[in-house]
Structures are given as structure tokens and as C-alpha cells.
Amino acid sequence: MSPGGRIGPEALAAYLEHLERADRAGAVALARGLLAEGRSVADVLVDLVAVAQREIGRRWLTGSWRVAQEHAATHVSELVVDALGAAVGAPHRGHVVVACVEGEWHALAARIVSEVVRAAGWRVTFLGASVPARHLVSYLHQTGPDAVLLSCVQPNRLVRAARMVEASRAAGVPVLAGGPGFGPQGRWATAIGAAAWGASARDAVRLLAVPLPAGSHTGPPPPPADDGYVAVLHRRRELVRLALAAVDPPEETAEDVASGIAHLVDALIAAARVDDDRLLLDFVEWQEEALTARGGRRLLDDVLATLERTLSEHPRAAARLRDAWAAYTAG
């Protein structure tokens, strides 16, 4: 590897080997070695740690890694983030708050953003995973930061993200959204009232460096185009229970299947919130890989059919499910 520049495939492969063995010492040494060769904190965290984490997620999704192995590898990467963050100098810019959407427990991406923004000179307060909106707004009123950086990894958390954006706008603090949960190119971020969206930690630094458009972060957020999602939201537990009973998975996969069904129902609610059927279809296509690995394609068919029947008195929600199912089976 030559000094400077982005991280090459050899370093990524070596890092993944350390993660597979849960070798924290080797992973930290590799990351520090890249810094010594001239890579920046952003290079190592964005082009090595974040890329490796996506591969870990893919291995878990396809069933090639169990939950315990994924957790061990993620913990190693968290230690790498800590080690690189310790090398960052004192802040000389304003104050930003970084938080994960309530219900989102995958906090490593937000941790990476925190340290890259900190390396750019900002004072950063990381609030952690799954931050309730009421706790966020209380903290904003107490501290008055310049911005909130809100991480959302999964689109099924979008309704909760909207609550957090609304709370931040009420406190007069702009929200810069980040993560794939806000859709391709962040197309759902502004629909729920975020001031802007960035695809990576480098984008967060760039967005913080320029003034936000006037009026982009205060007052009531844009209203939803379809308020029918409220009715489905109120029936969330019932929908999960009925769909799980319909497929009746074996005990060893029941917990994973129940979680997958809950995510699917949340994606339906989120699709109604931003009035975009593509959100649900994309999530169904993603969830297919997870659910079929745990029960075959018939399992997902039965879940979608049960949800559609149960929501027959909510025509728009049922139509979204029917259209997603048709597009999924046609593919």
C-alpha cells in the first residue's frame, strides 16, 4: 500500500479477517498503521470500518454469520473507532449532537460520523443508540447545539425519525439526516422535515460547513400526504401477532421471523408516512433474503397475504401490500 489515498482491498480483506476472529488487537493495530502511513481518520473510518460493517451486515442477513459473531465483530470495530477518536485534537468549531433514531440499535455508523466530524474540529456530543424524541428535545433545550446529526439505518424506522425531526424543529435546531434509512439519495429526508441529507461522514462535514437555507429547520414539518398510516400504526402489535401465527415458524427461528415481520409492518407504516410505495417494495426485496434464509420463500408470501387480509378495511394500506407483493413475485 502506498502512503496517502483511499483504503485498498488488501487492507479491507485483512481487517475483515481480524473481525472474523474477533481480534481487537490486530484490528486496532491495522487501523493505527494506516494513520501512520498518511491516511486520515475519515479515510480509515469511512473506507475501512464502515465498508467492513456493511459486509458484516450482509453476512448476518444471509445467515452465514450468527448474531453472536456479528456482535463480536461489531464490538471490535467500536474499539477501533475509540482508538482513532482518542487521537483527535481539541475542537475549534461549534457544537453538534449526534443521535440514532429511536428503536435503532445499530449505532456504529453514527459513532463513525461523530469521530469524523470531531476530527474536522467540531465539538460533538454522541447521544447513542435509540434516542427517544422527548429525551432529545429536552437535551436540545438545555444545550442549544448548532445542529443535530440524525442517523437512520433502516427505512422502517422513518416514522420515528419524523418524530425526532419534529422535536428538533420545535427547538429551533436543524437536522442533518444521514444513513440509508432515508432512502436513495436521501429522498425521504426532506419529506419529514430534515434540512439536508448526507450519504457519509464526509458529507456531514461538508454540510456543516455551509449555511442552511433560511426556514429549513424551524416550525411544523411538512404534513404527511397520507394520514392513513396512523390507523395501521395503532394496529402494529396485532399485525405482527397474526402474521407470526399464520406462518408458525419452528422455535429455533421464531424470534428472527417475528423481528422480520415487525420490520415489514414498520416499513408499510413508513411508506404511508412519506407516500412512497417504493419504500415498501425495496424493503420487501431486502427482507426476502433474510426471511427466506429462515423459512423459504413461502414464508414471506404467507406474511404478506396475512397482512393484506387483515388490513382489508384500510384500502390504501392493503393496496400498498398488494402492489409490493405483485412486484416482488414478478421479480
Side-chain angles (χ1 to χ4, degrees):
M1 296 180 296
S2 59
R6 300 295 172 86
I7 307 300
E10 300 88 355
L12 177 60
Y15 186 75
L16 283 168
E17 287 182 9
H18 289 307
L19 297 186
E20 190 165 2
R21 298 194 303 269
D23 175 14
R24 63 179 185 177
V28 170
L30 190 155
R32 285 175 171 163
L34 291 170
L35 288 183
E37 291 179 3
R39 271 71 171 188
S40 68
V41 169
D43 289 339
V44 178
L45 293 183
V46 175
D47 301 325
L48 179 74
V49 179
V51 172
Q53 191 64 21
R54 287 195 290 272
E55 171 61 18
I56 290 170
R58 187 196 67 80
R59 293 180 184 184
W60 170 83
L61 180 67
T62 58
S64 60
W65 274 25
R66 302 298 296 172
V67 170
Q69 192 173 11
E70 181 268 332
H71 284 186
T74 299
H75 178 62
V76 170
S77 283
E78 289 171 344
L79 295 174
V80 171
V81 174
D82 285 341
L84 269 61
V88 173
H92 56 273
R93 295 185 176 180
H95 178 210
V96 299
V97 170
V98 180
C100 297
V101 169
E102 183 176 6
E104 178 58 71
W105 296 99
H106 297 86
L108 182 58
R111 290 280 315 282
I112 289 171
V113 169
S114 295
E115 296 308 330
V116 171
V117 169
R118 197 190 312 276
W122 292 85
R123 180 166 69 92
V124 178
T125 301
F126 177 61
L127 297 185
S130 190
V131 180
R134 65 185 184 280
H135 294 172
L136 174 64
V137 71
S138 174
Y139 187 82
L140 298 183
H141 282 299
Q142 291 171 13
T143 61
D146 297 288
V148 171
L149 306 183
L150 183 62
S151 173
C152 183
V153 176
Q154 296 179 321
N156 55 302
R157 304 295 187 195
L158 206 55
V159 171
R160 295 182 182 186
R163 293 174 187 159
M164 298 183 75
V165 172
E166 182 176 3
S168 299
R169 290 174 67 105
V173 182
V175 174
L176 303 179
F182 292 100
Q185 289 75 55
R187 63 187 179 193
W188 302 314
T190 55
I192 63 170
W197 175 86
S200 71
R202 291 191 181 96
D203 288 335
V205 173
R206 175 181 56 81
L207 290 170
L208 286 168
V210 298
L212 294 171
S216 65
H217 62 274
T218 58
D226 176 12
D227 61 2
Y229 80 93
V230 175
V232 183
L233 179 62
H234 289 164
R235 299 186 64 184
R236 180 183 182 276
R237 290 186 179 180
E238 176 194 2
L239 293 168
V240 175
R241 176 178 55 80
L242 292 173
L244 186 62
V247 299
D248 191 23
E251 184 177 352
E252 61 269 19
T253 63
E255 186 175 349
D256 286 342
V257 171
S259 177
I261 293 171
H263 291 333
L264 186 59
V265 172
D266 286 341
L268 169 63
I269 297 167
R273 174 63 179 82
V274 297
D275 196 25
D276 190 341
D277 290 348
R278 187 71 211 181
L279 186 157
L280 181 60
L281 176 57
D282 288 347
F283 194 83
V284 167
E285 292 174 345
W286 176 82
Q287 194 69 2
E288 174 194 8
E289 196 169 7
L291 287 177
T292 55
R294 293 162 173 82
R297 177 164 177 163
R298 179 61 184 274
L299 187 149
L300 182 55
D301 290 341
D302 290 345
V303 167
L304 290 169
T306 300
L307 293 176
E308 183 189 349
R309 287 195 304 270
T310 306
L311 290 171
S312 58
E313 68 269 37
H314 303 293
R316 294 192 68 178
R320 291 182 195 279
L321 284 165
R322 187 164 52 250
D323 292 345
W325 191 8
Y328 152 68
T329 53

